[in-house]
Amino acid sequence: MVVSTKSPDRKLVFGKGNFQHLTEKIRGSPDITCVFLNVERMAAPTKKELEAAWGVEVFDRFTVVLHIFRCNARTKEARLQVALAEIPLHRSNLKRDVAHLHRGAGSRYIMGSGESFMQVQQRLLREKEAKIRKALDRLRKKRQLLRQQRTRREFPVVSVVGYTNCGKTTLIKALTGDAAIRPRDQLFATLDVTAHAGALPSRMTVLYVDTIGFLSQLPHGLIESFSATLEDVAHSDLIVHVRDVSHPEVELQKRSVLSTLHSLQLPAPLLDSMVEVHNKVDLVPGYSPTEPNAVPVSALLGHGLQELKAELDAAVLKATGRQILTLRVRLAGAQLSWLYKEATVQDVDVIPEDGAADVTVIISDSAYGKFRKLFPG
């Protein structure tokens, strides 16, 4: 049910009438086992007060999303991001607990240290936060080094984004054929950024970066952690926006994803070249996209994947400035092996009488410059 709430600057979340109405509904229904309030934090009435009045567990948006994040954090960086997001919650709980702790009883200082219990706990939280941020900085530097290594090897990077549970991981598995990828049908199944290599029809190898699922109205305390997981998107060559067209709020989800991408201040060419994929078309009989450039697919069943790969091939070539060239090389030299290592060789037409071959390659401007410098003439 939807009820009106007080404005954000008011002390109480509910008006007296709505609170009484909710209490009667919840108390009178044996089917209600818990209540989820779409508010970021509950101040007044508090969680405990609501649970006492309604007789069921009560959850706010921040607690629910944080719990899902925590359950899906598998790498060290993801766990650190969740721990950082929990710090404001610990501070809030500390203030509430201290307010009820031994009112007026005993000394307010800890064993002559000159610090009150509140001050000691606040200091410990500050130290914990500083330690987490320091560890995250070390991991970010390591990830930056990995990005630099990918850049040197000149693998195009395709970031796959979308609303949570839209099928990103399933699509990447279908595009790469990587049997080790384990998609899961749940919110925020991907909290850790991972990269998977795949070949396009041109034989060009690209890296698909699987990102965390997006969420509308992300709780404020999680914005920093969420944004940090999307750093790799800014360094990609192409963005693929996956949409679950079977979802009843597919348009709202699209607006949420685009709003988040724009908030990351990504380069305009990267946003303008984005490829939109309409996934789960097998769940919508007779589906046909209304957007002119959208590619309909079923990642689960494999429908539309060849069309999508062709679209990605053209988009990556355009975004990276790669070109398709036919080069005459000597078979006796190191030219052919160099091209196999530094470019994408599509075809080799050997000319025995000349001891040479015409080699068709996809090559970047920088690699072609190196080739001309190493093998002049």
Side-chain angles (χ1 to χ4, degrees):
M1 58 188 300
V2 178
V3 298
S4 61
T5 60
K6 295 291 184 180
S7 58
D9 57 342
R10 296 286 189 89
K11 183 179 179 181
L12 299 177
V13 175
F14 301 107
K16 187 175 181 180
N18 278 331
F19 180 70
Q20 182 178 353
H21 179 60
L22 280 169
T23 302
E24 292 172 355
K25 287 284 187 182
I26 294 169
R27 283 286 189 180
S29 174
D31 297 327
I32 297 179
T33 58
C34 67
V35 175
F36 167 54
L37 295 177
N38 193 19
V39 295
E40 187 160 328
R41 299 285 177 83
M42 286 178 289
T46 66
K47 170 182 168 69
K48 289 183 179 180
E49 289 170 340
L50 289 176
E51 288 178 339
W54 294 343
V56 295
E57 285 191 279
V58 177
F59 301 96
D60 62 85
R61 186 179 182 85
F62 179 87
T63 304
V64 172
V65 177
L66 182 60
H67 174 71
I68 297 174
F69 272 37
R70 190 187 300 113
C71 291
N72 289 282
R74 286 170 175 75
T75 66
K76 182 178 180 180
E77 183 174 13
R79 291 192 292 271
L80 286 170
Q81 293 288 1
V82 171
L84 182 62
E86 289 177 319
I87 294 293
L89 184 61
H90 292 324
R91 289 198 175 103
S92 177
N93 291 338
L94 175 62
K95 291 179 181 178
R96 186 182 66 247
D97 293 343
V98 169
H100 294 86
L101 181 65
H102 305 300
R103 290 184 180 273
S107 171
R108 54 191 294 268
Y109 298 101
I110 305 297
M111 299 180 65
S113 65
E115 289 182 298
S116 67
F117 174 81
M118 179 76 161
Q119 290 170 330
V120 170
Q121 296 303 312
Q122 287 178 332
R123 174 170 56 79
L124 291 175
L125 282 175
R126 286 196 300 270
E127 291 173 355
K128 181 179 180 180
E129 182 179 10
K131 185 177 180 181
I132 292 172
R133 291 187 182 278
K134 188 174 181 180
L136 281 171
D137 284 340
R138 288 197 298 268
L139 288 173
R140 286 189 182 118
K141 289 177 182 177
K142 182 179 179 181
R143 195 165 63 194
Q144 184 178 11
L145 180 61
L146 291 174
R147 281 200 299 263
Q148 291 172 350
Q149 291 173 346
R150 289 202 301 259
T151 301
R152 281 197 294 269
R153 296 184 69 181
E154 295 192 332
F155 285 139
V157 176
V158 178
S159 287
V160 183
V161 304
Y163 206 86
T164 184
N165 210 33
C166 68
K168 300 184 307 300
T169 305
T170 303
L171 180 64
I172 291 175
K173 181 175 183 176
L175 290 172
T176 63
D178 189 346
I181 300 176
R182 292 286 185 268
R184 286 169 291 154
D185 184 15
Q186 64 186 64
L187 300 178
F188 303 112
T190 302
L191 186 56
D192 308 301
V193 175
T194 56
H196 309 271
L200 294 175
S202 64
R203 300 181 187 175
M204 180 169 45
T205 299
V206 297
L207 292 179
Y208 294 101
V209 175
D210 196 359
T211 63
I212 181 176
F214 288 35
L215 179 71
S216 63
Q217 300 174 351
L218 188 72
H220 181 75
L222 291 172
I223 290 176
E224 181 179 2
S225 298
F226 179 84
S227 299
T229 66
L230 296 174
E231 288 179 352
D232 283 288
V233 176
H235 299 274
S236 58
D237 298 294
L238 183 70
I239 296 176
V240 172
H241 177 195
V242 183
R243 300 175 60 194
D244 175 4
V245 294
S246 70
H247 198 282
E249 295 184 342
V250 60
E251 292 301 326
L252 177 63
Q253 291 181 352
K254 177 180 180 177
R255 291 196 295 271
S256 175
V257 170
L258 295 181
S259 174
T260 302
L261 289 175
H262 281 92
S263 70
L264 295 174
Q265 297 181 331
L266 301 174
L270 185 58
L271 290 173
D272 293 340
S273 63
M274 185 161 48
V275 175
E276 185 170 301
V277 177
H278 289 189
N279 191 26
K280 305 187 184 182
V281 295
D282 53 299
L283 301 178
V284 186
Y287 180 81
S288 179
T290 55
E291 290 86 346
N293 299 319
V295 183
V297 306
S298 169
L300 187 63
L301 301 181
H303 299 162
L305 292 183
Q306 295 308 312
E307 293 81 357
L308 176 58
K309 286 182 179 181
E311 180 75 17
L312 294 177
D313 224 344
V316 169
L317 283 174
K318 183 177 180 180
T320 59
R322 281 168 165 75
Q323 50 187 324
I324 301 176
L325 298 176
T326 299
L327 305 173
R328 176 69 59 90
V329 302
R330 295 187 300 274
L331 293 175
Q335 292 172 303
L336 185 57
S337 60
W338 190 94
L339 287 172
Y340 268 109
K341 182 180 178 181
E342 301 294 336
T344 300
V345 176
Q346 290 186 305
D347 185 53
V348 178
D349 184 16
V350 178
I351 309 172
E353 61 272 19
D354 293 339
D358 287 334
V359 183
T360 303
V361 295
I362 296 177
I363 192 167
S364 67
D365 290 339
S366 61
Y368 183 57
K370 292 177 186 176
F371 178 81
R372 302 307 302 173
K373 186 175 181 180
L374 288 170
F375 309 105

